[in-house]
């Protein structure tokens, strides 16, 4: 049980390369599939648990000290991830939202519209299934699925292991779709360059002040499904005011993946950032 956020790793994290058969993963052994197709399997003995499991297994002290230990270890690996991205001139974005806000739909539309301009790879995070990863794979984009079991967020160690299989090219974009949750993903640095929170007009305009840490931690807020505004009770201006109240520096895009409204502004931001990624990371 993770004291930091209350999640458990009892289901054990699974990393799946969709280019390799899912049958190679099972519930009795922990399996790693390398980029060349090599499968490494080991049993669930205490000695061979993942680093995240080792952290969870050490819960014997106070809540405060354990939380500091978990976050400190995570931040160390996140710093290593950030250096890895920097060395390859990769723009890494951490996409976060509540379930159903439209992360995957926005992601697939973005990939399809930009794939002739940018090289985009995806790390897909969900508790179970490869459903969203398969949708992303249909765009022709390389994707790695991370299933967190009962865990409610991705962490830096998962990203580190996912990147070993994903192996994104130099001068590219890595989109990390986090587990649907407006709380815990904000706590864990993955080594990304920017955090992007996605909020839909079907959720309520008060989300920024109900979940302030998420919006405070994010560089970008994307308000999705704006084509539904005539049919829902959602005050756009109030939502923007709430977001700015929590984070005056947050940049906001209003988009509809159905009609395409507002997507050009989002695409322009992404393409400009990849051109200047080294400068941004250094700064």
């Amino acid at each position: 049980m993770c004291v930091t956020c209350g999640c458990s790793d009892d289901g054990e994290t699974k990393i799946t390369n969709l280019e390799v058969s899912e049958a190679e993963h099972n519930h009795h052994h922990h399996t790693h599939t390398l980029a060349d197709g090599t499968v490494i399997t080991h049993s669930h003995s205490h000695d061979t648990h993942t680093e995240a499991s080792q952290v969870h297994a050490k819960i014997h002290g106070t809540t405060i000290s354990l939380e500091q230990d978990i976050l400190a270890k995570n931040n160390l690996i996140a710093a290593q991830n950030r250096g890895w991205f920097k060395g390859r001139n990769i723009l890494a974005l951490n996409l976060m939202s509540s379930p159903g806000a439209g992360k995957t739909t926005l992601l697939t539309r973005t990939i399809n519209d930009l794939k002739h301009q940018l090289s985009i790879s995806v790390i897909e995070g969900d508790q179970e299934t490869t459903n969203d990863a398969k949708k992303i794979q249909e765009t022709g984009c390389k994707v790695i699925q991370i299933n967190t079991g009962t865990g409610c967020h991705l962490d830096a160690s998962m990203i580190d292991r996912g990147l070993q299989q994903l192996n994104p090219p130099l001068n590219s974009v890595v989109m990390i779709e986090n587990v649907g949750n407006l709380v815990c993903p904000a706590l864990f640095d993955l080594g990304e360059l920017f955090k992007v929170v996605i909020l839909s007009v079907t959720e309520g305009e008060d989300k920024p002040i109900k979940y302030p840490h998420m919006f405070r931690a994010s560089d970008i807020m994307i308000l999705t499904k704006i084509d539904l505004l005539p049919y829902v009770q959602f005050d756009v201006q109030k939502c923007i005011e709430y977001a700015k109240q929590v984070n005056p520096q947050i940049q906001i895009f209003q988009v509809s993946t159905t009609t395409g409204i507002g997507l050009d502004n989002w695409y322009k931001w992404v393409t400009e950032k990849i051109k200047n990624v080294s400068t941004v990371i250094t700064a």
Side-chain angles (χ1 to χ4, degrees):
M1 182 68 68
C2 174
V3 177
T4 302
C5 61
C7 72
S8 169
D9 71 335
D10 292 340
E12 191 162 323
T13 301
K14 295 188 296 182
I15 300 179
T16 303
N17 185 338
L18 268 67
E19 296 179 356
V20 181
S21 171
E22 293 179 37
E24 292 170 351
H25 297 270
N26 58 66
H27 298 291
H28 302 292
H29 295 83
H30 187 69
T31 303
H32 294 288
T33 306
L34 304 182
D36 63 359
T38 302
V39 180
I40 301 176
T41 303
H42 56 78
S43 63
H44 288 178
S45 67
H46 178 75
D47 293 338
T48 56
H49 277 177
T50 62
E51 181 65 24
S53 299
Q54 291 172 357
V55 173
H56 291 162
K58 293 179 181 177
I59 298 179
H60 299 295
T62 65
T63 299
I64 294 176
S65 63
L66 181 60
E67 179 176 335
Q68 290 174 339
D69 288 344
I70 292 173
L71 293 178
K73 290 183 178 181
N74 180 82
N75 290 343
L76 178 60
I77 299 173
Q80 295 171 351
N81 290 346
R82 189 169 290 108
W84 194 92
F85 288 130
K86 179 181 178 180
R88 290 159 179 77
N89 199 48
I90 292 174
L91 173 65
L93 305 178
N94 181 3
L95 308 183
M96 303 172 289
S97 78
S98 57
K103 289 194 304 299
T104 306
T105 303
L106 175 65
L107 190 50
T108 54
R109 176 72 189 256
T110 299
I111 294 167
N112 279 323
D113 289 349
L114 294 182
K115 62 185 177 182
H116 298 300
Q117 303 176 46
L118 301 175
S119 176
I120 302 175
S121 305
V122 174
I123 294 178
E124 175 64 38
D126 286 298
Q127 288 191 319
E128 296 292 346
T129 82
T130 58
N131 292 348
D132 288 346
K134 289 176 179 176
K135 292 177 184 177
I136 292 167
Q137 189 182 41
E138 289 173 359
T139 68
C141 172
K142 187 172 183 181
V143 56
I144 293 295
Q145 175 74 57
I146 298 180
N147 289 124
T148 62
T150 52
C152 58
H153 58 85
L154 296 175
D155 63 29
S157 177
M158 297 175 192
I159 299 303
D160 175 39
R161 287 181 284 145
L163 287 171
Q164 293 175 35
Q165 291 196 37
L166 188 65
N167 192 26
L170 304 177
N171 308 307
S172 66
V173 180
V174 171
M175 301 276 195
I176 304 168
E177 183 174 354
N178 219 312
V179 179
N181 183 349
L182 281 177
V183 182
C184 304
L187 298 172
F188 287 81
D189 182 10
L190 306 180
E192 74 280 358
L193 187 53
F194 295 102
K195 286 182 169 65
V196 180
V197 60
I198 298 166
L199 174 66
S200 74
V201 300
T202 59
E203 296 180 74
E205 65 270 0
D206 60 348
K207 285 294 186 292
I209 55 174
K210 292 179 73 173
Y211 301 93
H213 187 75
M214 172 62 74
F215 291 84
R216 188 177 299 120
S218 298
D219 305 281
I220 302 294
M221 181 181 90
I222 301 180
L223 186 61
T224 62
K225 306 183 184 181
I226 62 171
D227 54 295
L228 297 180
L229 282 172
Y231 313 104
V232 297
Q233 293 183 336
F234 187 94
D235 190 326
V236 173
Q237 189 55 43
K238 186 171 289 185
C239 179
I240 293 173
E241 290 175 0
Y242 286 149
K244 293 288 187 179
Q245 176 183 322
V246 171
N247 181 358
Q249 305 303 317
I250 198 167
Q251 190 170 351
I252 300 171
F253 298 108
Q254 300 180 45
V255 308
S256 166
T257 55
T258 300
T259 66
I261 295 174
L263 288 175
D264 285 345
N265 292 329
W266 160 239
Y267 296 162
K268 181 180 179 182
W269 181 87
V270 173
T271 53
E272 286 180 350
K273 292 304 179 187
I274 187 59
K275 290 177 182 178
N276 302 298
V277 64
S278 294
T279 304
V280 176
I281 292 176
T282 303

